[in-house]
Amino acid sequence: MRRIHVGNALSAFGLGFTVPYLYVYVAQVRGLGAMTAGLVLAVFAVAALIVLPFAGRAIVRRGPLPVLLAALVTAALGALSLGLAGNATAVLGAAAALGAGQAVMQPALATMIVDCSTAETRSRAFATQFFLQNLGLGVGGLIGGHLVDTSRVSSFTLLFAIEAAMFLLLAVVMSTVRLPHAPQVGEAPQSAGGSWKRLLGNRAMVQLCVLGFVLFFACYGQFESGLSAYGVEAAGISTSALGTALAANTAMIVVAQFAVLKFVERQKRSRVIAAVGLIWAVAWVVAGYAGLGHGSREMATAAFVSTYALFGLGEAMLSPTVAPLVADLAPAGLAGQYNSAFALVKQLALAVGPAVGGPMGASLHAPYIVTFLLFSLGITYLALRLGRQLTAVQDQPWLARKRVVARGGAVAEPVAAEA
């Protein structure tokens, strides 16, 4: 588990070097224009949507480790090619390889965490993963910002080379991991069609996927598109203040993650997700004040930064809740399939979110706030509805540990008396 967490941090560190500067690199540094830069971002999403349905089946059949290693090599080649690409065709091809590799890493690493954890330790494991991911992204972005120079192509080539090196280093670290109960070739429990049919027949999982789509659409899908456009156009936020807001989001996650973990672990998962919906509803109200409240520039900036911080608090509550719930809903041997299905839902939301939120945030300011305020309240409704589909242990996994302890005590007493 420690090696898996180190690997998560390394991959996030590598991504942090390039993700904030990808648009500038393609459009300005390579001189390929805004259209090509937009296509590159679209290719990332399309590549993920294409490979994820196959990734789940591959993880089930081959195990998560071989799939992860293949994804890392593909992503490393894509990153290095992107740093060397000089024309639109080469850039789009490299972006497709990098996007596909990144997409497959997520369910593969999630399945490895499931294999190396128990129901009692899983929430903490996923919370640690999310903490290290954000820390890696933040540190990588900070260092990358000091290395990059828009007047020198070579500085961007260096960034992409570092990213590729991080992926390869992660592959080396992961190759030393020995997973318990790793599935062997040919041991897949069902055919591909049968496993997907079984997943779609799981009402709780289908409802969780719908809830997940709304979660990612209403939050993550707005960070760098609609909410940013709204902040600049409606609230008059400067670019530096926008950077401060993003930093506040990461800082809140890093600071709050383990502080909220003990609280979250003892609550019903459905109620935790419902509470996140209410917190995000407050965040959208604060964002509404920032852009529509006619306050001072300083008050608007403070409100906007607070919006991102509130989103970060909700994210810290979700990380030990949603991913472990996906694992607990998966039948034996199908964790990879369920993780990939949920990652596919996430990618769909991240593709649709900016397309809907971007234009609204830039021009329809009041409808934008009202729409996503309602989506946040919808999260609360969907979470409470999901709770009715979950078993007591799925909603409160710590109950299983209490029952085991209770049973252990009941058995131990006669043995002790007999001795």
Side-chain angles (χ1 to χ4, degrees):
M1 183 67 81
R2 285 195 294 270
R3 296 181 193 186
I4 293 170
H5 285 322
V6 168
N8 270 304
L10 286 174
S11 64
F13 181 68
L15 288 171
F17 269 94
T18 59
V19 169
Y21 316 109
L22 188 59
Y23 183 90
V24 173
Y25 168 70
V26 176
Q28 299 178 11
V29 178
R30 288 295 183 183
L32 298 177
M35 179 67 72
T36 303
L39 285 175
V40 166
L41 298 177
V43 162
F44 272 97
V46 171
L49 295 177
I50 291 174
V51 300
L52 279 171
F54 302 99
R57 184 59 183 166
I59 292 172
V60 170
R61 290 186 61 85
R62 303 280 178 175
L65 184 55
V67 175
L68 175 62
L69 295 178
L72 288 169
V73 172
T74 302
L77 291 174
L80 191 58
S81 300
L82 198 55
L84 299 173
N87 57 66
T89 302
V91 164
L92 292 174
L98 180 56
Q102 288 179 10
V104 176
M105 283 182 217
Q106 298 177 28
L109 283 167
T111 305
M112 292 176 72
I113 290 176
V114 172
D115 289 344
C116 293
S117 63
T118 64
E120 292 77 25
T121 62
R122 200 159 289 149
S123 294
R124 187 166 293 273
F126 277 103
T128 303
Q129 178 202 30
F130 191 67
F131 169 82
L132 291 173
Q133 279 181 342
N134 281 276
L135 188 61
L137 283 170
V139 173
L142 184 63
I143 296 176
H146 289 289
L147 294 177
V148 73
D149 183 352
T150 55
S151 65
R152 293 189 300 114
V153 174
S154 59
S155 67
F156 285 86
T157 303
L158 175 62
L159 291 189
F160 285 105
I162 293 173
E163 181 180 27
M166 290 297 103
F167 289 141
L168 294 177
L169 179 58
L170 172 54
V172 173
V173 173
M174 290 295 99
S175 65
T176 65
V177 173
R178 297 293 175 263
L179 293 175
H181 312 300
Q184 302 297 320
V185 177
E187 287 186 0
Q190 301 183 43
S191 65
S195 59
W196 279 104
K197 183 178 180 180
R198 186 173 180 181
L199 187 153
L200 293 174
N202 187 330
R203 292 186 62 185
M205 183 60 189
V206 171
Q207 288 192 23
L208 180 59
C209 286
V210 173
L211 173 58
F213 182 89
V214 178
L215 281 168
F216 291 112
F217 176 78
C219 175
Y220 299 90
Q222 303 308 312
F223 270 6
E224 297 175 4
S225 58
L227 192 55
S228 297
Y230 169 84
V232 172
E233 298 294 338
I237 302 299
S238 65
T239 53
S240 61
L242 184 59
T244 301
L246 290 168
N249 175 263
T250 301
M252 174 62 79
I253 293 170
V254 171
V255 171
Q257 183 64 84
F258 294 105
V260 303
L261 181 60
K262 290 184 178 180
F263 168 77
V264 168
E265 283 182 319
R266 293 292 177 176
Q267 305 302 314
K268 289 186 176 181
R269 286 167 167 171
S270 57
R271 291 183 181 177
V272 171
I273 302 173
V276 171
L278 295 178
I279 291 172
W280 286 357
V282 173
W284 284 109
V285 170
V286 174
Y289 169 77
L292 307 172
H294 306 293
S296 65
R297 178 79 173 270
E298 291 74 17
M299 290 296 294
T301 300
F304 196 72
V305 171
S306 299
T307 298
Y308 274 79
L310 286 169
F311 276 121
L313 177 59
E315 292 174 73
M317 294 171 65
L318 286 176
S319 62
T321 306
V322 176
L325 181 54
V326 174
D328 289 349
L329 289 175
L334 290 179
Q337 186 90 44
Y338 277 55
N339 282 323
S340 294
F342 196 75
L344 180 62
V345 169
K346 176 181 178 181
Q347 288 296 330
L348 282 170
L350 294 181
V352 176
V356 174
M360 287 187 68
S363 57
L364 303 173
H365 302 148
Y368 177 69
I369 294 297
V370 172
T371 297
F372 286 92
L373 172 62
L374 293 176
F375 268 109
S376 297
L377 295 176
I379 291 170
T380 300
Y381 168 75
L382 290 172
L384 294 176
R385 185 180 176 187
L386 172 65
R388 294 195 289 268
Q389 295 291 331
L390 302 176
T391 66
V393 173
Q394 287 170 343
D395 208 11
Q396 295 174 278
W398 58 274
L399 288 177
R401 181 166 50 187
K402 285 182 66 176
R403 290 174 183 174
V404 169
V405 171
R407 288 173 186 167
V411 173
E413 287 174 7
V415 173
E418 197 172 29

